[in-house]
Amino acid sequence: MLNSQLTRGLVALLSLLLLGTPAWSWGHDGHRLVARIAAKNLNPATRQKLVVILQTNDAGLDEALAKAATWPDEISKPATATALWHFADVPVSGPFSLAGLCDQHDCVVDRIKEMSDRLRLNQTGFKLKTEPSGPLARPMTSQEVSFLTHFAGDIHQPLHAANNGDRGGNCVKLKKPIAGSSTKELHAVWDNDEVFAVFQDLTKSKPTPQAESAAAEALFQRYKTAGAGNWEQAPVEDWARESNDLARNDVYGKLKIPNHTAAPGQCAVGIKPVTITRPYLTGNVSDTEQQLMRAGIRLSDMLNKICAGNGCQPNPH
């Protein structure tokens, strides 16, 4: 018999091929924002190494890291066999536990650790099932930096660390469209609409290059003003725990969604549509800004640590 993880993988792949999933996790703009926050907190030695890895210069590093942050959602997930790397389906119906969810290391927690270790130890031999070509081609070490940057964002999105028999909210439809939005299901609300609400709060603007820089600066200055907290030293498992807690409260609790169960990668029967209002979005802005800020700072701390000494060589041998 197929083990549960393999079954989950097959179902998830089928879902990608037949049903489709949102193109962006944390949204294109959210991932770029996380990367730009991280770039502000890199030490000079780490910046110089990333300049070489991402084939840019110091002035262009912020933009290069922002582009790297979105690359894992731009490549074909079925072709590269990376679909399962972006999340950890931790049930919200019981105590938090990652047990049995990362077989074959196919979850965001283990992939963050893998990319971190590879960069720190200058490991060779990293290959995707099918290597992206053309404009999406990247050298091995650039791929690892891209995945690490992206996954640091993913794990701080509450519905990338939670499941309620609904594929992380992908099975929960909206009763009616949000004014000015094309979003049709709950996961995309958190990928996109919550991020847009953050931009409105911080910059009074929709995401633009100027607003992106301003929002990153605002959240970085918020971190600098508050100073480091215990959260900054928390292990990756705790990043997932925090997101799962927010999903229980800000998503399933506030929206009064009952507990559901389903086979991995499938939608439970009887999931009812929900209504998303502007007050709901604005009510979650504070938590969303905290998650984006923590993702950027934790990413920078990780990069500063793993690129220290001999780490982060652009062409390891």
Side-chain angles (χ1 to χ4, degrees):
M1 296 179 62
L2 294 172
N3 63 34
S4 60
Q5 182 68 18
L6 180 56
T7 302
R8 176 173 175 265
L10 292 173
V11 171
L13 179 59
L14 184 61
S15 297
L16 281 168
L17 294 174
L18 299 182
L19 300 179
T21 57
W24 305 102
S25 42
W26 249 160
H28 174 269
D29 304 291
H31 275 295
R32 287 179 58 86
L33 184 54
V34 168
R36 285 189 175 274
I37 294 168
K40 293 178 178 298
N41 200 46
L42 297 174
N43 64 42
T46 299
R47 287 187 66 90
Q48 185 53 44
K49 288 185 176 182
L50 293 178
V51 160
V52 178
I53 291 171
L54 297 178
Q55 300 178 359
T56 184
N57 54 39
D58 190 74
L61 180 59
D62 291 30
E63 176 62 22
L65 196 62
K67 287 183 177 180
T70 65
W71 178 80
D73 272 342
E74 295 166 345
I75 61 177
S76 169
K77 293 174 184 176
T80 56
T82 59
L84 300 178
W85 297 10
H86 295 250
F87 58 88
D89 272 345
V90 184
V92 297
S93 57
F96 178 89
S97 175
L98 290 165
L101 297 180
C102 293
D103 294 347
Q104 310 302 316
H105 303 293
D106 275 339
C107 79
V108 67
V109 173
D110 282 13
R111 292 299 173 173
I112 287 174
K113 293 178 180 178
E114 177 195 18
M115 300 305 160
S116 175
D117 287 344
R118 290 193 58 81
L119 289 164
R120 177 173 56 86
L121 299 172
N122 299 308
Q123 294 177 345
T124 60
F126 179 72
K127 291 184 179 297
L128 298 172
K129 182 178 179 181
T130 300
E131 287 294 327
S133 58
L136 292 177
R138 280 181 178 265
M140 180 193 76
T141 310
S142 179
Q143 289 186 16
E144 294 163 346
V145 169
S146 295
F147 278 124
L148 181 59
T149 303
H150 183 88
F151 294 153
D154 276 346
I155 200 172
H156 285 83
Q157 204 273 47
L159 288 173
H160 276 255
N163 189 41
N164 186 37
D166 61 358
R167 295 176 52 238
N170 279 297
C171 305
V172 184
K173 303 301 180 183
L174 304 191
K175 286 184 179 179
K176 59 182 180 180
I178 305 169
S181 171
S182 60
T183 301
K184 297 180 179 180
E185 40 80 7
L186 184 58
H187 188 102
V189 168
W190 279 84
D191 278 352
N192 299 303
D193 298 283
E194 281 293 348
V195 175
F196 299 156
V198 164
F199 274 88
Q200 186 63 34
D201 178 61
L202 295 175
T203 70
K204 308 305 179 187
S205 169
K206 295 180 179 180
T208 64
Q210 294 77 16
E212 186 180 281
S213 296
E217 180 64 22
L219 291 177
F220 180 65
Q221 288 304 321
R222 187 175 299 179
Y223 160 72
K224 296 293 287 185
T225 299
N230 293 334
W231 60 267
E232 198 167 346
Q233 304 303 320
V236 175
E237 289 83 359
D238 282 359
W239 305 0
R241 186 190 305 274
E242 292 167 3
S243 288
N244 187 266
D245 286 344
L246 286 176
R248 292 171 191 245
N249 179 64
D250 291 355
V251 182
Y252 299 106
K254 285 185 179 180
L255 295 173
K256 296 181 171 56
I257 299 174
N259 290 339
H260 296 284
T261 58
Q266 295 187 359
C267 298
V269 176
I271 297 177
K272 296 181 179 179
V274 297
T275 298
I276 300 297
T277 63
R278 286 294 165 186
Y280 172 80
L281 296 176
T282 57
N284 294 317
V285 159
S286 178
D287 285 342
T288 306
E289 289 176 354
Q290 172 182 281
Q291 289 301 95
L292 291 165
M293 183 271 287
R294 287 188 174 186
I297 298 302
R298 283 167 164 167
L299 171 61
S300 66
D301 288 346
M302 182 173 282
L303 287 168
N304 285 335
K305 182 177 180 179
I306 65 182
C307 293
N310 194 47
C312 297
Q313 295 299 312
N315 297 297
H317 300 289

